[in-house]
Structures are given as structure tokens and as C-alpha cells.
Amino acid sequence: MNIVITMSRRYGTGASEIAKELSEKLDIPVYDKAYIEHEVEHTSYKEESELIKKLAEKPCIILGRCASEILKHQSNVFNVYVSAAKSDRIKRLMEVYGHTEEEAKRMIEENDKARAEYYYEHTGMVWGDVNNYDLCLDTGRIGYDGAVDMICAYIAQRERFLAGK
């Protein structure tokens, strides 16, 4: 399996945990913003894009960084968008990190705004547009395990479909 999974996500959805579980289940590495920024000499979109293309030469999971758009011409790339209702994200941030409801709301609004601006600035496209993804998941409705299972099922079905062509 030579699959590259890109995962865009709203803040507070648990996508990092989903990526970690997928990484363990599929035995492929996860690369996130911290890793990518650490590996480039200057934090520029051009350098990050080149690194993402290099990382995608092998099976992996890439969180954010417009990877779905950077790798859109690669047939082995599978783009996932993870969302959840704002109330579910607030609850998660309060439970996991001990934030107050107001802190959680503020963090969600700030992070979602920054992600949308970053995506638009570098792609000219709307972040979260369902047309840019193969699969959109709501972790508030299916949980993390359900998201992992759905992604794995989608990949397996896609491989069966491609094998039959």
C-alpha cells in the first residue's frame, strides 16, 4: 500500500489523535506542522511544499499545511477533512486540556480563523470546501475510533475499486 493521507481539520476535533491511531494501525509515519517547520531552513510555504512532496514519496499521513492541495495531482493521495460541531469541540478542549468554556471558544475561533486564512493565502481556495476532500468526518458523531475505521474502510474500498478497473 503506497497511500498518502492528508488530514485537514477544525481545531479541537481530535484529528491528531486519529492520525496517531492510523499511523499505528497502518504502520506509516505522521508529519505535522511542528515536524515540517523543524525540517525546513526557513518557514516559507515554498520550502514546506517541497518537503511535503518529498515526504509523500513514501506512505505517510500529513496533518494540515495545505498538503491536500500541494499533492492534489498524485493518484495515491487520499484527502480527509475532520470536523465536529463547535459544542463538541468546546467540550473536548475543556475535558482534555482543562480550559474554561470561554477559553475553549476563543481558541477554536482563533485557530479556525488562522487555518482558513493560511489555506486561502496559499491556495486561493476555501478551507473546508467538501469538493477538496475524498472523505469528510464528524468526530462528534462517530468518535475517533469510528473515524479511524471509516478511513481504513475507505482506503480498502478504494484499492478494491482501482484493482477492478
Side-chain angles (χ1 to χ4, degrees), residues 9-140:
R9 73 271 192 227
R10 290 200 171 267
Y11 186 74
T13 59
S16 296
E17 288 82 0
I18 293 166
K20 183 180 176 194
E21 260 188 69
L22 275 172
S23 170
E24 292 169 5
K25 194 168 195 169
L26 301 174
D27 195 29
I28 59 176
V30 176
Y31 302 111
D32 61 7
K33 177 182 177 180
Y35 177 88
I36 291 168
E37 287 182 348
H38 179 266
E39 293 298 308
V40 295
E41 190 172 323
H42 306 288
T43 306
S44 73
Y45 184 72
K46 183 178 181 187
E47 281 190 46
E48 286 185 10
S49 296
E50 293 306 314
L51 177 59
I52 287 168
K53 289 175 187 173
K54 184 172 174 49
L55 294 171
E57 290 174 1
K58 295 181 180 177
C60 65
I61 300 165
I62 303 174
L63 282 167
R65 312 318 294 159
C66 303
S68 59
E69 188 63 19
I70 293 166
L71 303 172
K72 70 181 177 185
H73 298 296
Q74 288 187 215
S75 62
N76 65 324
V77 174
F78 171 60
N79 301 312
V80 178
Y81 185 77
V82 182
S83 66
K86 191 173 185 179
S87 58
D88 292 327
R89 297 186 290 146
I90 290 168
K91 182 180 175 186
R92 180 179 175 276
L93 292 177
M94 291 171 65
E95 289 173 359
V96 174
Y97 300 109
H99 296 309
T100 66
E101 186 174 353
E102 287 306 312
E103 288 171 331
K105 282 181 186 176
R106 181 182 50 76
M107 292 179 76
I108 286 170
E109 289 166 6
E110 288 174 2
N111 279 279
D112 283 353
K113 182 179 183 214
R115 288 176 180 178
E117 288 173 353
Y118 181 88
Y119 193 86
Y120 184 79
E121 176 185 346
H122 295 295
T123 69
M125 299 168 70
V126 176
W127 175 66
D129 180 342
V130 297
N131 294 305
N132 299 329
Y133 306 97
D134 298 298
L135 185 63
C136 297
L137 302 169
D138 183 334
T139 57

